[in-house]
Amino acid sequence: MCNLHAIQRCLIAFAITSILQACGVGPPVKQPLPEPPPPPAQYIPREAGPSASPVVALLDKAQIAEQAGRLEDAAATLERAVRIDPYDPMAWQMLARVRLAQGDGSQAEAMAARSNSLMYDDETSQRENWRIIAQARRTRGDEQGARAAERQAGI
Amino acid sequence: MGLNYNRSPVNRYRLVRMAKRPRAKSARAPTSRRTPKRKPARARRGRKFSALRRGVFAGVWVMALIGVVAIMGYAAYLDHQVRERFEGARWELPARVFARPLEIYAGKALSADALEEELRLLHYQSVEDLTATGVYRAQGDTVTLHSRGFPFWDAVEPARLLRVEFRGDRVAGVFDARKNTILDLTRLEPVPIANIYPTHLEDRLVARLVDVPPLLTKTLIAVEDRDFYHHFGLDLGAIARAMVANVMAGRVVQGGSTLTQQLVKNLFLTSERSLVRKLNEAIMAGLLEWHYSKDEILEAYINEVYLGQDGARAIHGFALASQFYFERRLSELRSDQLALLVALVKGPSYYEPRQNPQRAKDRRDLVLTQLREGGVLSTAATTEAQTRPLDVTATAPSGVTPFPAFVELMRRQLQDQYPEQALRTEGLVIFTTLDPLVQIAAEQAVTSKLTELEAQRGLPAGSLQAAAVVTAAETGELLAVVGGRDPRLQGYNRALDARRPIGSLIKPVIYLTALARPREYSLASMLDDQPLSVRLDDQQTWSPRNYDDEYHGEVTLRDALVGSYNVSTARLGLAVGIHEVIDTLQQLGFTHRLAPYPSLLLGALEMTPLEVSQVYQGLAAGGYRTPLNTIREVMSGAGEHLSRYPLNIAQAADPASVYLLNSALYEVTRQGTARSLQSLLPATLKVAGKTGTTNELRDSWFAGFSGEHLAVTWIGRDDNKSTGMTGAVGALPIWADIMGNIQTRPLNLNTPPGTEWLMIDARGGLLADEYCAGAQWMPFVEGSAPTEYAPCAHSGPVERTTRWFQDLFN
């Protein structure tokens, strides 16, 4: 019983926040407990986000258009995907790639950066964004910036 | 008629033309050959006449020749006219403006009610039989509909039988109901929101013959021109019959005009009644028949014919008449409805079905009888059709846009690329970003809340004015624009043109300027909120005051924003520099030049609600600015791509600093000046925002966003007198009403890379632990957080952990 209690407390030590109240146990409290903190810690599942499927369907469609060289159609389709889920980093990344292919380096760079700001744990994709940024900067003649981006991309 | 309408008209034209042209030539040839044969005969006879007679005869002959040349010349002139008009841009066509198409996919926040509202806007009918397009059936959590399809920019959306299943306020699945397959996503046809008419106000929808129901052409021919496929432009039999009928009646009761003649009359001639005109009509009808196929003539007739009047707007063509009388597509009409449209050809105003229903019905039934007599309809079908009511909509759909404020903004954005003349005449198809569901919610919020506020506060009804702008937070697409309390009224558009001081709406810009320097400022930085006096360059003293004249001593940067304290904010603004604040504002997309007066820090600068939206859009989109946009694409009437307005973004601020700011703006709606939102919105809908109030309560503002929508609302008076309301009392309830009535998603507070959340003791801005009362969680750019613990914390991290473990294990 006591042992169980100890394990329970041990767990609490690593999850200091809201669990305190849920368990009703904790270190001796001399002062009132802090207010329940606002939840935004790490990785809150999107409560209302749509499932990935319509976006994935559009990304597939855009890829076909991109490979066929129909870049404007690909861009239009990807914008449709962004409208449906603006927090999908892959849609932004593909859009950045298409814009780069269309010769719009500044949009490519901004969109790849936008993609990175939405990317939480996918290092491969993050590196791909940096690669796009590097290419965009090089096209602009910003060799130093390109190299800095390449370092981020791990090249 | 035995005609196959399913074949492409292009092929038909070619066949008919090839068959026709040689025949026309051979018909002329004998005339030219006959002349030389006659000459010798005349010459022989001529010898018997005297020289004088010969001279007279020669004179007559010359004159006749001149006459023939003149007539031929005239015919050539008419021929030129006919061909030029018929082959060129036949009509000036209005530009058609559409709302965004509703996208439907599994997981979309869309209730069955919202879908039904969209279907009503598209004039879908709720029926059992789903054979025709433009109909739907709602049963519990399922809506089955037969969509009409639409040629979009990127692809043609086919007409489909769709089944949409709902779970709560969300789409559970979309299915092709015929094939019973799951669809990834689909979109409905877009709601038409405006037309930009030619100056002569002729409105017309052009239909291709292949898209016209065969029954319509059969009815038209049976009633107006039975021999259409056999005559050469004139129907002598019909003329004779008409003459007999007219003589018998003693007045004009029947016309013998063919469809070709009627088309010629409408297309080329004035309505003057004279023999010369009649002659011109006959010649031109012949020319039209000679140059063009029957189907080309029929198609032109179907689109040219005048079928109604809506104020100054003339309704032309069967396709538009179908919308005008039934709010349905031509292909969706029943035989009785088609018969009514054909009945109207004889006299659109005399038989106007909304004003003269009995007259119209009698004429329609007569048309149906003629169809039975012509063998087009069976007796049973005729009787059934004749028992139907007229079924026209109670009121004519207005040709005036219901959303004038949005359309005005759209036209301002279009005018750089498309001159007025092009919009009025070229039949452009304009795809806009307007979301009619959001627009209607915004209009209702403005109208109902203003009335409510006036009643609550004993203000004269109608004294307040308001504006609202709703945009898609990430893409900057304008979804709704309300320019005043009567949203149907075209006039002073306050959303675009009311430039007012913004008050505390400026504050987030000051705080962002500070937070963008993580080495100097964090949300936990302490600010001084005691009275302040600043000596300005012009020797005047500036003494900003807090709203309630309460001063708070030392406060965290976050609390100063959450409580909207003026004095500490002014100090912060002066510390970071007014020029730097202006710079941030311009980064966020405010383009006007500003003089760097300290009063600017408390919002003594003027903006329109649209400009405020632009500035806040950059915040709502995590630091990425995009120009607010009303247009997605423009196509020609024939479906050619003309222009696309691509999404363009630019990093306006560091995403991590914007994240810190937004977390504080979220606190504003939980504990700050906008905390009343807690009771106005569902608990799951997290939002961030800021109230704004100006001197003497002249302007009441609220600007804020969810994870999907940004909305800016403003209340004020046109005479600029006091409204008696702060932002929280006036503009906020409108804002909440909009957000609560649209389907949106909560604020995205996912921690971006490079930031961390820590617990802070607000009394000194130092690290706190669970021993500290009232400690707050705050995000920090990594490395910018305070390292020192507050006195309330038990001690430093090492001892703390040790003591913890001691506590835990004893």
Side-chain angles (χ1 to χ4, degrees):
Chain A
M1 166 75 190
C2 184
N3 206 10
L4 195 75
H5 215 77
I7 292 167
Q8 200 180 1
R9 286 186 174 196
C10 196
L11 284 171
I12 293 161
F14 294 99
I16 314 162
T17 58
S18 55
I19 303 167
L20 279 171
Q21 280 136 324
C23 299
V25 288
V29 178
K30 289 176 186 161
Q31 293 176 38
L33 284 168
E35 286 172 41
Q42 213 91 10
Y43 308 120
I44 298 172
R46 227 178 282 137
E47 286 152 291
S51 76
S53 97
V55 171
V56 169
L58 289 173
L59 296 192
D60 288 347
K61 214 178 129 206
Q63 196 164 16
I64 293 167
E66 186 190 357
Q67 282 163 357
R70 291 182 288 114
L71 296 178
E72 196 55 26
D73 284 354
T77 304
L78 289 167
E79 284 177 24
R80 199 177 155 200
V82 166
R83 282 196 291 265
I84 288 175
D85 186 3
Y87 299 122
D88 189 309
M90 295 316 288
W92 284 106
Q93 183 176 84
M94 274 191 75
L95 197 49
R97 208 163 50 218
V98 169
R99 283 294 162 79
L100 189 64
Q102 289 182 309
D104 190 342
S106 70
Q107 279 307 306
E109 178 169 354
M111 286 168 173
R114 182 77 186 115
S115 173
N116 260 350
S117 75
L118 297 166
M119 195 95 70
Y120 296 99
D121 48 6
D122 185 345
E123 279 183 32
T124 319
S125 294
Q126 278 169 344
R127 279 200 293 273
E128 169 63 11
N129 281 328
W130 281 113
R131 210 188 50 73
I132 294 170
I133 292 170
Q135 223 173 316
R137 287 178 181 169
R138 185 155 291 130
T139 322
R140 206 171 47 223
D142 177 8
E143 187 55 39
Q144 204 180 341
R147 261 189 248 129
E150 273 169 355
R151 275 194 295 280
Q152 297 273 6
I155 298 173
Chain B
M1 295 287 129
L3 277 169
N4 181 1
Y5 284 90
N6 293 328
R7 275 165 66 183
S8 142
V10 180
N11 294 339
R12 286 195 66 80
Y13 296 159
R14 210 166 288 142
L15 286 172
V16 177
R17 269 186 187 165
M18 276 160 58
K20 205 170 213 173
R21 288 242 162 88
R23 209 189 322 133
K25 268 180 202 152
S26 63
R28 262 185 183 179
T31 351
S32 50
R33 274 199 301 272
R34 229 174 284 143
T35 341
K37 269 187 195 164
R38 276 183 194 159
K39 253 184 190 168
R42 255 188 236 124
R44 278 194 300 277
R45 263 180 273 137
R47 275 180 224 124
K48 295 173 189 166
F49 298 120
S50 69
L52 182 71
R53 287 195 65 145
R54 245 193 341 256
V56 168
F57 191 83
V60 168
W61 180 239
V62 167
M63 280 174 68
L65 207 68
I66 290 170
V68 167
V69 169
I71 288 170
M72 279 174 68
Y74 186 60
Y77 160 74
L78 289 183
D79 187 61
H80 175 73
Q81 270 206 322
V82 163
R83 293 173 66 163
E84 197 175 59
R85 181 76 206 273
F86 204 81
E87 278 163 29
R90 227 172 272 165
W91 298 292
E92 294 191 337
L93 296 175
R96 309 258 164 216
V97 185
F98 291 94
R100 61 89 190 94
L102 181 68
E103 302 258 16
I104 308 175
Y105 47 86
K108 181 178 175 88
L110 179 77
S111 65
D113 285 347
L115 175 60
E116 279 192 67
E117 190 176 350
E118 178 89 13
L119 292 176
R120 273 193 294 276
L121 291 171
L122 289 165
H123 304 296
Y124 274 55
Q125 290 179 340
S126 169
V127 293
E128 278 304 305
D129 175 16
L130 300 179
T131 319
T133 60
V135 295
Y136 75 100
R137 193 172 56 207
Q139 293 160 307
D141 280 344
T142 304
V143 175
T144 313
L145 63 103
H146 198 161
S147 73
R148 294 178 171 124
F150 201 86
F152 288 105
W153 173 278
D154 54 327
V156 173
E157 194 75 34
R160 265 199 288 223
L161 197 62
L162 297 169
R163 191 172 75 246
V164 187
E165 292 177 2
F166 294 89
R167 197 178 304 120
D169 281 353
R170 206 157 279 282
V171 176
V174 198
F175 306 88
D176 183 319
R178 193 155 285 144
K179 297 182 203 152
N180 209 23
T181 51
I182 299 175
L183 296 172
D184 284 325
L185 77 165
T186 187
R187 51 196 154 164
L188 298 182
E189 60 274 22
V191 175
I193 55 165
N195 297 315
I196 303 169
Y197 295 114
T199 36
H200 50 62
L201 285 169
E202 227 177 79
D203 195 6
R204 168 181 285 108
L205 263 179
V206 173
R208 295 178 310 161
L209 194 59
V210 272
D211 299 327
V212 170
L215 184 58
L216 176 70
T217 49
K218 285 182 194 171
T219 309
L220 188 59
I221 288 165
V223 174
E224 292 292 323
D225 188 358
R226 269 182 286 171
D227 283 327
F228 176 70
Y229 280 102
H230 310 292
H231 62 64
F232 55 94
L234 301 177
D235 185 348
L236 299 176
I239 293 171
R241 278 195 303 275
M243 275 172 72
V244 170
N246 293 345
V247 168
M248 300 274 280
R251 62 197 168 92
V252 180
V253 290
Q254 194 177 327
S257 287
T258 62
L259 289 178
T260 319
Q261 280 171 290
Q262 292 181 34
L263 176 63
V264 163
K265 192 170 68 185
N266 295 337
L267 213 49
F268 309 115
L269 301 169
T270 58
S271 58
E272 159 212 20
R273 286 188 156 204
S274 73
L275 202 64
V276 175
R277 209 215 63 168
K278 210 68 192 152
L279 197 70
N280 280 343
E281 182 186 297
I283 296 171
M284 287 170 120
L287 289 169
L288 210 57
E289 293 274 348
W290 186 49
H291 284 302
Y292 306 103
S293 74
K294 289 284 183 188
D295 282 355
E296 281 171 299
I297 292 167
L298 193 59
E299 187 176 271
Y301 182 93
I302 283 169
N303 292 317
E304 168 55 42
V305 63
Y306 167 68
L307 288 169
Q309 193 73 31
D310 170 38
R313 179 170 69 117
I315 309 299
H316 283 264
F318 280 99
L320 183 64
S322 172
Q323 305 279 356
F324 183 69
Y325 292 108
F326 303 111
E327 289 186 340
R328 319 275 304 145
R329 282 193 191 177
L330 205 46
S331 59
E332 294 165 8
L333 298 190
R334 295 184 312 262
S335 58
D336 56 296
Q337 293 170 314
L338 291 172
L340 176 65
L341 295 185
V342 172
L344 289 172
V345 171
K346 202 178 173 201
S349 87
Y350 186 79
Y351 295 107
E352 213 298 314
R354 291 191 184 96
Q355 275 154 32
N356 310 311
Q358 193 52 49
R359 230 184 256 170
K361 188 172 180 304
D362 291 347
R363 170 87 187 139
R364 180 200 74 178
D365 292 348
L366 182 71
V367 166
L368 286 164
T369 306
Q370 281 177 298
L371 285 182
R372 191 194 59 213
E373 286 166 1
V376 180
L377 282 187
S378 70
T379 309
T382 307
T383 316
E384 204 247 311
Q386 284 174 335
T387 57
R388 286 189 177 272
L390 283 178
D391 231 8
V392 291
T393 57
T395 50
S398 169
V400 179
T401 177
F403 309 123
F406 179 89
V407 171
E408 189 183 356
L409 178 57
M410 180 210 76
R411 292 190 65 168
R412 288 187 198 181
Q413 295 193 339
L414 262 183
Q415 71 188 10
D416 300 337
Q417 246 183 310
Y418 293 90
E420 173 100 6
Q421 186 62 12
L423 294 174
R424 289 189 183 280
T425 60
E426 290 176 13
L428 300 174
V429 178
I430 301 165
F431 294 96
T432 73
T433 58
L434 180 97
D435 185 326
L437 301 181
V438 176
Q439 174 72 32
I440 290 167
E443 290 173 357
Q444 283 172 352
V446 165
T447 311
S448 68
K449 288 291 162 193
L450 279 189
T451 312
E452 222 171 88
L453 285 165
E454 283 167 350
Q456 269 171 17
R457 310 179 68 81
L459 299 169
S463 59
L464 296 178
Q465 268 298 351
V469 176
V470 187
T471 51
E474 284 287 332
T475 58
E477 291 196 331
L478 277 145
L479 306 178
V481 180
V482 183
R485 64 185 298 160
D486 181 354
R488 305 282 162 263
L489 203 67
Q490 176 134 34
Y492 185 35
N493 192 337
R494 292 160 195 83
L496 278 52
D497 298 325
R499 188 162 270 114
R500 298 299 188 107
I502 61 167
S504 298
L505 293 191
I506 190 67
K507 283 180 182 154
V509 181
I510 301 167
Y511 285 81
L512 181 61
T513 311
L515 291 169
R517 306 177 194 169
R519 286 193 194 138
E520 295 169 57
Y521 294 98
S522 72
L523 288 173
S525 300
M526 296 308 286
L527 301 178
D528 179 4
D529 193 55
Q530 295 176 65
L532 165 74
S533 270
V534 187
R535 181 62 61 86
L536 303 179
D537 294 345
D538 57 4
Q539 300 306 311
Q540 286 193 323
T541 312
W542 182 56
S543 314
R545 289 159 59 188
N546 278 348
Y547 176 70
D548 47 9
D549 264 332
E550 266 183 47
Y551 299 86
H552 308 84
E554 292 275 305
V555 292
T556 60
L557 192 139
R558 188 189 85 155
D559 284 350
L561 177 57
V562 169
S564 199
Y565 302 151
N566 286 342
V567 181
S568 39
T569 304
R571 276 205 179 84
L572 179 67
L574 292 172
V576 296
I578 300 172
H579 283 283
E580 281 69 15
V581 172
I582 292 175
D583 195 45
T584 307
L585 192 59
Q586 285 172 341
Q587 281 293 315
L588 287 167
F590 184 69
T591 49
H592 293 258
R593 291 185 65 175
L594 291 169
Y597 295 118
S599 59
L600 181 143
L601 299 171
L602 296 181
L605 76 163
E606 295 181 344
M607 287 193 199
T608 65
L610 185 69
E611 286 165 345
V612 172
S613 301
Q614 179 70 73
V615 169
Y616 273 71
Q617 186 276 327
L619 306 180
Y624 288 84
R625 176 190 75 217
T626 171
L628 300 186
N629 179 30
T630 54
I631 309 152
R632 288 182 183 171
E633 296 113 4
V634 180
M635 302 204 306
S636 75
E640 298 156 297
H641 289 183
L642 297 181
S643 23
R644 201 171 80 80
Y645 294 73
L647 176 61
N648 278 322
I649 66 168
Q651 192 173 321
D654 171 46
S657 344
V658 174
Y659 179 73
L660 306 190
L661 176 70
N662 289 353
S663 76
L665 291 175
Y666 166 57
E667 285 306 314
V668 171
T669 69
R670 277 170 33 93
Q671 313 164 6
T673 47
R675 61 185 171 276
S676 57
L677 283 173
Q678 291 301 305
S679 61
L680 295 174
L681 290 177
T684 50
L685 182 54
K686 288 183 209 147
V687 294
K690 186 72 196 79
T691 52
T693 310
T694 61
N695 289 347
E696 286 145 42
L697 307 175
R698 287 198 179 104
D699 304 276
S700 166
W701 289 94
F702 195 79
F705 45 91
S706 68
E708 193 176 352
H709 295 101
L710 161 70
V712 174
T713 51
W714 167 85
I715 294 184
R717 289 172 54 128
D718 283 347
D719 60 11
N720 209 9
K721 287 188 179 145
S722 173
T723 61
M725 290 184 288
T726 62
V729 171
L732 181 144
I734 296 183
W735 189 92
D737 202 48
I738 297 174
M739 281 294 179
N741 283 303
I742 60 177
Q743 278 160 325
T744 187
R745 60 173 119 183
L747 186 66
N748 175 14
L749 281 174
N750 284 4
T751 316
T755 49
E756 56 183 345
W757 284 80
L758 295 167
M759 217 193 257
I760 296 297
D761 174 40
R763 286 162 300 191
L766 298 176
L767 286 175
D769 62 15
E770 62 286 353
Y771 293 91
C772 296
Q776 301 165 343
W777 283 94
M778 292 182 195
F780 292 88
V781 172
E782 267 166 22
S784 73
T787 47
E788 215 179 304
Y789 271 86
C792 57
H794 257 189
S795 46
V798 179
E799 297 98 307
R800 205 169 58 104
T801 317
T802 326
R803 193 170 325 169
W804 253 69
F805 275 87
Q806 284 167 357
D807 286 344
L808 286 168
F809 288 104
N810 68 25

